[in-house]
């Protein structure tokens, strides 16, 4: 049982709110009502302030905030970033620019994932990305600490989560290391969930889940397309399943994060036309499809003005409206990035532009293939 930190009313309010946001499982609602989220935010969090040059992360310290306000903030259904570029919020002396590297994710998102993973009494669960430990605590509350193992790669984040979990009365198995490679050879988990995004399914996830068990993870890429994969593991080292309809996003697992942005050149390359509007990439499903065609490209820009950059090869594609209507595309480098995107989008359109659950993933020893329609349908190799 989680200890009380004077937050009972706030917890119950948050639990009630999740029930209005499509969370149907009473056991998860009860877990949210029981776990004091303020314990998991530690001594400080970062607030995103819009600045002239992008977001600035301003530290908010617990000891400079009234206890009532801190409890209210902690139990909002929002993500609280706790680390930016490796700097913990409690160590920050001023606002920082940079990218979040750890957080307590929006509770409604975390609980949606836990629900979609179809976790049941008695399940042994492996979580990748302990973060603050809040989602780990929900799992412990629901299943008992003995059923839960969680892996966090950042030692400072992991130490803070361990303290919070102990304070809340939970004692799951906690491992510090890269959850994409470290594994326990004797493990046989029923469920694996990841609260960080991956570009492909790491092999060691499959080794650690029993035949018939499941992997639930956000599958993402550098074009910004993300889907939620829910895969059933076979007894022969394979895994497969359709993507779910939920749209959600988690920060990348660190080894899968995009490399630093390459330079790109303007007005270079040929200028062929294109069959598709570049603005189609503003649609999340289309962006996911485009990413299948160009899996190591990043996207900058929106609307008609898009830049695709492939960091590995330096290939680039830029789009702009053509003076006489339509669009001009300049492509440069060994990969024809726009052609690859256009082919993938055309294949999807020929199938009637179905939503994300029309796609699925097949993981075999030969590779990882996203298919459209059925496992024998058109498919794209993931960069595994
Ligand atoms: C979005 S946060 C986790 C949210 C958390 N479960 C919560 O309380 O809501 C993602 C976490 O994954 C961790 N992470 C990133 N890559 C990882 C990896 N390869 N192995 C283990 N943890 C990783 C990050 O350090 C970060 O703490």
């Amino acid at each position: 049982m989680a200890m009380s930190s004077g937050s009972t009313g706030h917890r119950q309010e948050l639990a009630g709110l999740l029930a209005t946001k499509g969370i149907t499982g009473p056991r998860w609602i009860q877990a949210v009502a029981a776990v004091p989220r303020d314990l998991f935010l530690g001594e400080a969090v970062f607030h995103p302030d819009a600045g002239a040059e992008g977001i600035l992360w301003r530290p908010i310290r617990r000891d400079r905030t009234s206890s009532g306000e801190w409890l209210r903030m902690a139990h909002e259904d929002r993500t609280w970033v706790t680390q930016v570029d490796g700097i913990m919020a409690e160590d920050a002396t001023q606002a920082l620019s940079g990218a979040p590297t750890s957080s307590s994710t929006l509770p409604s998102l975390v609980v949606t994932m836990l629900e979609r993973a179809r976790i049941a009494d008695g399940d042994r669960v492996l979580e990748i990305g302990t973060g603050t430990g809040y989602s780990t605590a929900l799992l412990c509350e629901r299943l008992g600490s003995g059923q839960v193992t969680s892996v966090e790669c950042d030692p400072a984040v992991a130490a803070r989560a361990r303290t919070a979990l102990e304070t809340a009365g939970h004692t799951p198995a906690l491992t510090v290391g890269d959850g994409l490679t470290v594994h326990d050879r004797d493990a046989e988990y029923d469920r694996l969930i990841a609260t960080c995004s991956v570009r492909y399914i790491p092999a060691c996830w499959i080794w650690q889940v029993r035949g018939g068990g499941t992997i639930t993870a956000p599958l993402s890429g550098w074009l910004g397309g993300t889907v939620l994969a829910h895969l059933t593991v076979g007894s022969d080292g394979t895994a497969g399943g359709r993507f779910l309809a939920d749209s959600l996003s988690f920060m990348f697992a660190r080894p899968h994060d995009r490399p630093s942005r390459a330079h790109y050149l303007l007005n270079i390359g040929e200028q062929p036309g294109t069959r598709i509007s570049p603005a189609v990439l503003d649609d999340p499903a289309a962006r996911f499809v485009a990413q299948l065609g160009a899996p190591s490209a990043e996207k900058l820009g929106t609307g008609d003005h898009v830049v695709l950059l492939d960091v590995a090869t330096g290939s680039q594609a830029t789009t702009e409206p053509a003076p006489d209507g339509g669009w001009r595309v300049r492509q440069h480098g060994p990969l024809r990035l726009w052609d690859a995107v256009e082919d993938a989008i055309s294949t999807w359109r020929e199938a009637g532009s179905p939503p994300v659950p029309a796609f699925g993933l097949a993981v075999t020893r030969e590779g990882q293939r996203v298919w459209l329609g059925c496992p024998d349908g058109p498919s794209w190799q993931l960069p595994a």
Side-chain angles (χ1 to χ4, degrees):
M1 173 65 66
M3 74 165 234
S4 164
S5 63
S7 58
T8 313
H10 294 285
R11 285 184 261 141
Q12 285 170 348
E13 216 172 291
L14 177 59
L17 179 70
L18 297 199
T20 68
K21 290 193 171 181
I23 308 296
T24 52
R27 303 287 298 279
W28 291 119
I29 303 273
Q30 283 162 17
V32 170
V35 175
R37 193 173 179 227
D38 51 300
L39 291 184
F40 295 89
L41 300 188
E43 293 305 309
V45 292
F46 283 108
H47 185 276
D49 290 345
E53 294 185 13
I55 291 178
L56 274 180
W57 297 97
R58 174 172 50 88
I60 303 179
R61 296 194 58 89
R62 187 176 64 81
D63 59 9
R64 298 206 191 131
T65 311
S66 73
S67 61
E69 176 59 6
W70 186 256
L71 289 177
R72 188 197 62 73
M73 280 170 40
H75 295 88
E76 281 181 294
D77 186 28
R78 65 177 288 170
T79 295
W80 281 112
V81 170
T82 50
Q83 193 193 51
V84 169
D85 283 349
I87 298 174
M88 301 295 285
E90 45 260 48
D91 299 330
T93 51
Q94 59 183 31
L96 306 173
S97 58
T101 41
S102 192
S103 65
S104 171
T105 306
L106 191 72
S108 55
L109 193 61
V110 168
V111 177
T112 298
M113 260 199 75
L114 296 173
E115 270 204 347
R116 297 300 180 265
R118 304 206 184 143
I119 293 166
D121 287 347
D123 278 350
R124 288 152 303 166
V125 178
L126 173 61
E127 177 191 45
I128 309 296
T130 316
T132 61
Y134 179 69
S135 49
T136 322
L138 295 178
L139 283 163
C140 292
E141 192 67 39
R142 168 77 173 77
L143 298 169
S145 294
Q147 303 299 102
V148 181
T149 300
S150 188
V151 187
E152 168 59 51
C153 65
D154 186 303
V157 171
R160 200 167 165 286
R162 180 181 292 279
T163 304
L165 283 158
E166 282 170 7
T167 309
H170 299 301
T171 52
L174 298 174
T175 301
V176 184
D178 177 3
L180 277 46
T181 54
V182 292
H183 67 282
D184 172 358
R185 284 187 191 281
D186 300 324
E188 276 239 305
Y189 294 101
D190 300 294
R191 313 277 168 199
L192 181 150
I193 61 157
T195 58
C196 46
S197 297
V198 285
R199 296 175 71 212
Y200 57 85
I201 304 298
C204 76
W205 290 7
I206 296 176
W207 302 337
Q208 295 178 93
V209 174
R210 67 165 170 83
T214 59
I215 294 172
T216 310
L219 190 69
S220 196
W222 301 336
L223 278 192
T226 302
V227 294
L228 182 59
H230 180 68
L231 311 175
T232 302
V233 174
S235 45
D236 54 354
T238 61
R242 273 183 195 279
F243 299 137
L244 303 180
D246 306 273
S247 80
L248 44 72
S249 112
F250 280 92
M251 63 182 63
F252 272 110
R254 296 187 189 184
H256 285 200
D257 204 352
R258 55 173 70 77
S260 346
R261 198 156 275 163
H263 296 292
Y264 66 95
L265 307 162
L266 284 171
N267 303 325
I268 187 169
E270 304 148 42
Q271 298 180 25
T274 170
R275 286 173 281 156
I276 60 169
S277 159
V280 74
L281 300 188
D282 293 339
D283 170 69
R287 196 158 57 241
F288 172 69
V289 175
Q291 187 173 278
L292 295 174
S296 53
E298 263 199 81
K299 172 179 172 279
L300 310 176
T302 54
D304 290 335
H305 296 273
V306 166
V307 179
L308 300 182
L309 282 179
D310 184 88
V311 190
T313 62
S315 304
Q316 65 170 62
T318 54
T319 68
E320 60 189 352
D324 49 354
W327 305 272
R328 262 193 330 212
V329 180
R330 297 175 197 267
Q331 302 194 77
H332 174 70
L335 294 183
R336 310 290 291 176
L337 292 178
W338 192 259
D339 294 351
V341 163
E342 200 174 272
D343 287 349
I345 296 276
S346 300
T347 303
W348 176 58
R349 285 188 170 164
E350 280 157 24
S353 306
V356 158
F359 292 85
L361 178 63
V363 182
T364 63
R365 286 207 175 78
E366 285 69 52
Q368 304 198 8
R369 237 172 8 89
V370 172
W371 45 259
L372 170 57
C374 63
D376 295 330
S379 65
W380 296 264
Q381 215 51 50
L382 287 182

